[in-house]
Amino acid sequence: MRSDQEERDDLVKTMQFLHSRGWCDGTGGNFSVRLAHDPLHLLMAPSGVDKGNVNAEDLIVVDADGAVLEGNGGRASAETELHLCIMCSVAAGAVLHTHSVAATVLSRVHRRDGCIQLEGWEMLKGLNGIQSHETTLVLPVVANNQDMQQLSNAVRPHLNGTTRGILVAGHGLYAWGDNLEQARRHVEIIEFLLSAHLQYQQLCTMTNKTDS
């Protein structure tokens, strides 16, 4: 069984990596790891801080109601409720929320479609359960909402055993996994796929060509 300090150190390393990729600039992004199942306790980054500069001792622990149980005065993110919704719906071990340019732009473009379809990319195989590039990944897109209860209600119907991520329009990506390592991999793969999809669409528009 992993120690609390190991979980803290790994979450900090993950945040630093995601920040280095430009996926949580400024104070953007929020990240959580399940520390305990019953009662549910989440280890999270505090709100309103640069995620690339967070230390292990800065992390907070919240309960199933989003109340801070441990932390050096840090506040829980307003989006803690959405993390809890995902954790409880799919039994995730970690939830990572990024604000990349590709995810933010594409989620706005496809908001009315309700999803983005990603297919034909070899990197799809990096997602848990996908064995071939000949797979269509349907990534749900929901409208943004500052009311976290309403946003959670919009996200909940899309949470099932096959979904690995969801986009909030004009906001970014939420991805998860059975543990922090898997969640980080899912973020990396989905962010790659979104970036490739965006560049592919741009090139197709410029050249008026597709590979179909």
Side-chain angles (χ1 to χ4, degrees):
M1 184 174 179
R2 292 172 57 79
S3 69
D4 180 84
Q5 189 60 49
E6 287 175 319
E7 296 287 8
R8 287 174 177 269
D9 291 342
D10 283 352
L11 183 55
V12 166
K13 290 176 184 177
T14 295
M15 290 191 296
Q16 290 173 343
F17 168 76
L18 297 174
H19 185 271
S20 74
R21 297 295 302 268
W23 295 342
C24 55
D25 291 338
T27 61
N30 44 69
F31 314 96
S32 64
V33 173
R34 186 193 293 263
L35 287 181
H37 289 262
D38 188 15
L40 179 61
H41 288 171
L42 301 187
L43 181 68
M44 302 190 72
S47 178
V49 298
D50 185 328
K51 304 308 187 295
N53 292 323
V54 173
N55 297 313
E57 59 270 21
D58 298 325
L59 299 176
I60 62 174
V61 177
V62 303
D63 64 14
D65 296 319
V68 177
L69 302 177
E70 299 177 25
N72 297 325
R75 296 180 294 107
S77 166
E79 294 165 21
T80 299
E81 185 171 349
L82 187 49
H83 282 251
L84 289 165
C85 171
I86 294 170
M87 285 276 186
C88 294
S89 297
V90 299
V95 177
L96 306 177
H97 170 44
T98 52
H99 287 198
S100 73
V101 172
T104 305
V105 170
L106 284 170
S107 61
R108 283 197 66 183
V109 171
H110 292 275
R111 181 180 66 83
R112 296 191 181 186
D113 300 327
C115 68
I116 296 176
Q117 294 191 33
L118 302 167
E119 55 191 2
W121 304 102
E122 181 71 12
M123 286 288 277
L124 282 163
K125 292 161 56 179
L127 297 175
N128 199 44
I130 295 181
Q131 305 298 324
S132 170
H133 71 285
E134 295 179 329
T135 300
T136 299
L137 173 68
V138 179
L139 200 60
V141 180
V142 300
N144 196 12
N145 196 319
Q146 298 304 308
D147 184 317
M148 286 302 112
Q149 184 173 358
Q150 291 185 28
L151 183 56
S152 296
N153 289 340
V155 166
R156 191 173 287 109
H158 300 286
L159 301 175
N160 56 59
T162 60
T163 306
R164 295 290 175 259
I166 192 165
L167 289 166
V168 180
H171 190 165
L173 169 71
Y174 279 84
W176 53 87
D178 295 338
N179 50 50
L180 181 58
E181 180 181 6
Q182 188 181 88
R184 170 174 159 165
R185 174 163 53 84
H186 287 164
V187 166
E188 289 185 70
I189 296 299
I190 294 172
E191 288 288 6
F192 172 91
L193 292 169
L194 291 171
S195 179
H197 184 70
L198 178 59
Q199 293 182 52
Y200 175 71
Q201 286 190 324
Q202 291 170 333
L203 285 171
C204 287
T205 299
M206 291 169 57
T207 62
N208 197 30
K209 294 180 180 180
T210 69
D211 60 4
S212 59

